[in-house]
Every structure is written in structure tokens, then in C-alpha cells.
Amino acid sequence: MSKIRLFFHRVGFLPVVFLISSLLTSTSFAAVDDPEQGSLNKQERLEWFQDQGFGLFIHWSVDSQLGVVISHSLVGASSEYIDRFFSDLPKSFDPDRFKPLDWARLAHLAGVRYVMFTTKHHSGFAMFDTRTTPFGIMNTPFHHDITKEVFDAFRSEGIATGVYYSPDDFWWLHTHGKTIERSVPEVQPRNNPGLMQYDQTQLQELLTHYGKIDALFLDGEAVGLRDLAWKLNPDIVVTRGAIKTPELTVPGMPLPGAWETCMTMGTAWQYQPQNEHYKSGGELIRLLIQTRAKGGNFLLNVGPKPNGELPIEEEERLREIALWMFVNSDAIYSVRPWVITNEGEIWFTKKKDTNTLYAIVESDTPWPRATWKEFTLRSVRATDKTQVSVLGQNDEVVEYHPEIKPKSTWHQEEDGLHVRVMQTQRLQDNFRWPNPAVLKITNVEPALNPPHVQTIGSAQGSSGQEILEGTVLDMGDRSSLEVGFEYRPILGEDVNSRSSAWTATPTQTITKPGNFKANVSGLDPKGAYEFRAVIRHPLLPLYGSEITMKH
């Protein structure tokens, strides 16, 4: 009897909650291509999720000891490498400096509202106490239920808990004599009843043994698993598997409903001490701002070291974010998109239930303390109840400058709302806090009607050209518009990941709503591409949805 069969003969499965066939519904299969189709996410729970705005992703597994890409090194590996991975790595995994309360307190300080923890990544290593496999944390020198300790710590800081779970399981494939691969039909749980039952049993453990779980991230086909999650907990929010979750990119336009951008601090998801380049704290703050301006949640990843500590680079960035959020979190929580996302370097969020607008002022150069700045907001119209202030300060005093009266002022003109404000709060010793300031503007109305564009599709033309098509649905308040397209190759680990820059086509002028086209040549016939229609509005580019080119 093989080791795997002996193991299951000894411990057995937990009671299976559903027959597998009952969960493999037609709507579940459709969800492979359209995650929102057949979703049972409750609207009020999606509203709650959108209000949170900022989450912490934690990628951590047994192979963090090697500083290697999480799980994926097993694909295409030799039998010797695979045997060492599954047999030797667990024997040395002992994170003796693991203090989850330290993580949770730092996350709370940084303004994080929910955590998404990798309970099992693609390798199959279980970071939780499970009866289904010997390949897990309980068979290491550490021998503690890491998932339980993480969730207990974050809950103690008022942070909601989320389970990241991979339906793919390289350990299961290997022990069943199957080649380790991803994203091919032969290895999907829906084509392997034993793997489906195994996944369902593990998911049942995670959603019944660890208290209330608020969110679930299914990093693979959600067929047969998301319906189980909703059955066990009707209030759970399934993110990947039921809403859009782009990786390493922020969409060019607000997406309808709830969505979530997943972002690394550097280039890697798991701890990699070598060959890594971190984004600056300022870059991460700007990505958070732009994601919220477009209506999405920002799920920022950290990768703990094998001893359980966060790398100092990640701690430093979280502390920089913490200071910014301590001052400006009102512009991040419970907000929705404004009529446009930004005017140049000024990004907008709007409180969802009021007419309070936040204008978040980015700049390539720091805004020196105790200096005036004036802005004209062309998309904003004031009312007789409008007030303007700078978040974090009282608009009354400037330390060491009693002669300055820093009261914010505004006046409405034909070309927009003119505001005059001063940044007075001393946040760092050099008096030059480099990150965005936020203007709070109450009781305002939209001052423009932006045009709207829709991406339609693509078709192959003659001589290997690709014909892109879009349509302007309405002109807004413009008599003419410059329109065109942007396209890029789809590169990355899976369909959610993006790493390439956009290429723009030449623009054309239109004077009424309707369709427009562009020809693109020189594409790799074996490559995958996506494109989007764009309006080059004087204030900002306005995009249609992103669509994969048909080949």
C-alpha cells in the first residue's frame, strides 16, 4: 500500500459535506471564465468588503527557507528535487521568531482592515492543523497551528480574517503519480475526484475550525469549492473565484462592483533575500490611492522570513504607510469613485453616503511645510455649505510661525473650484513629508459630465493585422473627442497577473457617439494580448474595459 493510501486508511476523511457532483454545477463551470457568474456573495457583504479598502496578504510556506518562488519551483523539477522538497524541507521549518501579534499590531497601525493568509499554497504544504495530509506544519519541528495563531492575533486587533487556499496541490499530484503542472485540465480538481474531495475536506476544516472567516481567496479554479464555502458560511465573501482580482496592476478604469488589486511590495510574493527590488513606501501609498479612486480594494503582500520575522524592508514600508493612513485614512475607508478618478496628479475618492470629496494631491516633489498651494478642480462644484480643509491639521497654527494664519479658502469660478491651502503639520524632522496631502471638501457636486467609452472586441484582418473596435456611448459635455486604443501582451503566472506596459495606437477625432476602429500589426501570432478603448479627455484618459484579443 502506498504512503498516501496508508495515510488515508489510517486517519480517514472527515465527513464529506456534499457529494462532489452536487457542487459541479453549470454555473460553477461558467465561473471559470466569468467569476461573477453564479456568485452567491451577498450584496451587503460586498458593500462591507468595499468599505474596508485595505488588506494585508501574507505569502508564507515551507519553501521560504530557500528564498525561492513559492511553490512554482516544483513545476518541471527533477525527481530528486521534488523528493527533497517534500521530505527534507518540513524537517527544518521552525520559525522560532514567529510573533503574530507583532504582525497584527503593525497591520492595525498601518490601517489594514482584513488579512488574507496563505493556509495552503500550490505546493500543498498545509499551514494549518489538518487530518488530510502529513505534508504540513504539524509535522515540522515547530508543530504549532500557524493559521490559528495568525487569526487569533489579527482578530485581537480588530482585523477581519481571510483564508487564501489553493485548489491546486502539487503534493497530491505527486503522490498520485501525476506530473506536477498548473492551468491544464489534467490536474484540475474538477477532473480528479480524489483531489476535489481532498480540497473540500480541507476547506471544510478551515471554515469550521477557525471561528468566523470573513473572506476566501481561491487561487485556482473555484469549481466545487466556492459553493461549499457559501453553504458553510453564507456571509463569507469569496474574492478570487467570484470577483475580479487583478495582480500587479491597477485597472485603467473603475470596475463595476467589488474588486481587489493584489500587489507585491517588491517583485516576489514569498520571501526572497536575493534578486529582489522593493517598491518605495511612496509608490505603495500611490497604488493604494489609485486603487481606491477606482473603487477597488488594495491587498498588499508581505512575505515573512523563515524564522517568522517580517523583512525589515517590508516593516519599514508598512510603517511609512502607517503614518500616511494615521493622517489620511478617512479618504480610504467607506469611499467610492468620484465622477472622474483624477485630474492629473490629484486623485479623488468620495464618501459613499455623503457629498464629501477627498482630493489627494500627488506630486513628484515634496510639498514644503508652511507654503501655500492653489488648485483648480474642474470636476467639482461648490455649494453654499462647502468647506475645505486639509486632513490631519486644524488650519489654525503653524509651529514656530505665529505670523501665519493657515486657514484654507475656496471660491467657485466658471472653470472650476479654486482652493488655496497650506500643509502645516510637521510629520518629519526635515519638514518635507514626501507623500500626498489630502483635501477634504464637503457638500460638493459634480461640475462635469464625462464621456463614456466601451471596448467591443477584435477580429483578424488581412496581412496578419488585428482590428480593434470600440464605441463612444456618449460625448458627455464635449463636442469632439480624441479616441484610440491601448494593447499589451498578457504575461505573468496566470490570467490575473500583468507585468507589461501598454502600447497606444494613434488617436482619431470623432464628433458624435458611435463605433471606431484601429488596425494593429506586428503582434506575435502565438502570443496572448489584451486591449482597451480609450478617450484622450483633456483632464485624464477615460478607458473602456480590458478585453482579450481573439486569435
Side-chain angles (χ1 to χ4, degrees), residues 2-75:
S2 69
K3 289 182 180 179
I4 181 67
R5 290 177 181 170
L6 177 63
F7 179 76
F8 285 120
H9 177 76
R10 184 172 69 249
V11 303
F13 272 105
L14 294 173
V16 177
V17 179
F18 305 100
L19 292 175
I20 295 172
S21 60
S22 70
L23 295 175
L24 303 184
T25 62
S26 59
T27 55
S28 294
F29 280 114
V32 173
D33 298 318
D34 181 2
E36 295 173 324
Q37 187 170 341
S39 170
L40 297 180
N41 279 332
K42 293 181 178 179
Q43 186 56 43
E44 61 268 26
R45 292 297 293 159
L46 290 174
E47 282 284 326
W48 166 85
F49 180 71
Q50 286 182 278
D51 289 347
Q52 307 315 298
F54 185 25
L56 185 71
F57 218 171
I58 304 176
H59 273 71
W60 195 29
S61 193
V62 66
D63 48 352
S64 61
Q65 299 174 91
L66 300 175
V68 68
V69 57
I70 189 168
S71 300
H72 295 280
S73 69
L74 286 164
V75 180

Side-chain angles (χ1 to χ4, degrees), residues 42 217 219 229 275 311 333 434:
K42 293 181 178 179
F217 188 109
D219 197 6
N275 197 27
Y333 302 138

Side-chain angles (χ1 to χ4, degrees), residues 216-523:
L216 173 65
F217 188 109
L218 293 168
D219 197 6
E221 288 190 3
V223 174
L225 297 176
R226 67 179 196 167
D227 298 285
L228 171 60
W230 287 314
K231 184 73 174 180
L232 293 170
N233 178 5
D235 288 332
I236 201 168
V237 175
V238 178
T239 58
R240 178 160 296 176
I243 66 174
K244 293 180 174 63
T245 56
E247 282 185 15
L248 307 179
T249 187
V250 179
M253 58 175 288
L255 303 181
W259 60 276
E260 177 182 61
T261 276
C262 313
M263 188 64 62
T264 53
M265 281 199 179
T267 60
W269 293 102
Q270 188 171 243
Y271 173 66
Q272 290 184 17
Q274 69 288 322
N275 197 27
E276 177 65 304
H277 176 71
Y278 286 97
K279 303 172 184 70
S280 70
E283 287 178 284
L284 295 171
I285 290 168
R286 284 162 174 77
L287 287 167
L288 167 64
I289 291 164
Q290 292 173 20
T291 301
R292 294 303 283 152
K294 296 174 182 179
N297 282 25
F298 189 66
L299 185 59
L300 178 62
N301 182 73
V302 294
K305 296 163 65 174
N307 67 4
E309 296 177 320
L310 289 183
I312 187 60
E313 296 89 348
E314 296 182 356
E315 179 183 339
E316 288 172 346
R317 282 152 181 79
L318 282 175
R319 293 199 183 278
E320 184 171 352
I321 294 169
L323 174 54
W324 191 85
M325 286 289 285
F326 199 80
V327 176
N328 299 301
S329 59
D330 283 354
I332 298 298
Y333 302 138
S334 299
V335 295
R336 299 293 185 268
W338 179 235
V339 62
I340 59 173
T341 58
N342 62 295
E343 297 183 29
E345 293 184 332
I346 300 177
W347 291 80
F348 298 108
T349 61
K350 177 187 175 296
K351 261 322 187 228
K352 70 171 186 175
D353 295 325
T354 72
N355 289 324
T356 296
L357 184 68
Y358 299 96
I360 307 169
V361 182
E362 294 185 355
S363 178
D364 292 333
T365 58
W367 180 352
R369 192 182 71 107
T371 59
W372 290 103
K373 281 203 172 185
E374 298 187 19
F375 305 98
T376 300
L377 306 177
R378 295 172 59 186
S379 66
V380 185
R381 178 180 295 114
T383 69
D384 57 3
K385 295 181 180 180
T386 293
Q387 294 183 343
V388 177
S389 60
V390 179
L391 284 186
Q393 64 190 45
N394 62 16
D395 266 16
E396 295 177 4
V397 297
V398 181
E399 188 180 22
Y400 307 131
H401 291 282
E403 76 282 2
I404 297 178
K405 305 301 178 186
K407 181 68 176 177
S408 301
T409 60
W410 62 269
H411 61 278
Q412 184 71 48
E413 301 291 346
E414 283 294 320
D415 63 342
L417 179 65
H418 292 243
V419 297
R420 184 174 186 262
V421 291
M422 177 181 289
Q423 196 169 21
T424 66
Q425 196 172 15
R426 184 183 180 188
L427 297 175
Q428 293 193 322
D429 287 284
N430 64 4
F431 294 93
R432 293 173 66 85
W433 172 238
N435 288 320
V438 180
L439 313 185
K440 179 181 180 180
I441 311 171
T442 61
N443 297 299
V444 293
E445 301 171 347
L448 63 80
N449 175 26
H452 295 90
V453 65
Q454 179 176 309
T455 314
I456 294 179
S458 66
Q460 287 186 314
S462 59
S463 304
Q465 288 187 329
E466 195 79 20
I467 303 172
L468 311 182
E469 186 172 5
T471 186
V472 172
L473 300 174
D474 65 79
M475 300 289 290
D477 50 19
R478 304 288 299 177
S479 59
S480 66
L481 293 169
E482 296 295 313
V483 298
F485 297 91
E486 294 179 350
Y487 62 93
R488 65 180 175 184
I490 299 174
L491 300 174
E493 295 177 0
D494 58 33
V495 296
N496 300 285
S497 181
R498 299 290 184 271
S499 57
S500 298
W502 291 96
T503 299
T505 66
T507 60
Q508 52 192 285
T509 303
I510 65 168
T511 57
K512 62 181 180 180
N515 292 2
F516 60 96
K517 297 180 180 181
N519 294 339
V520 176
S521 59
L523 301 182

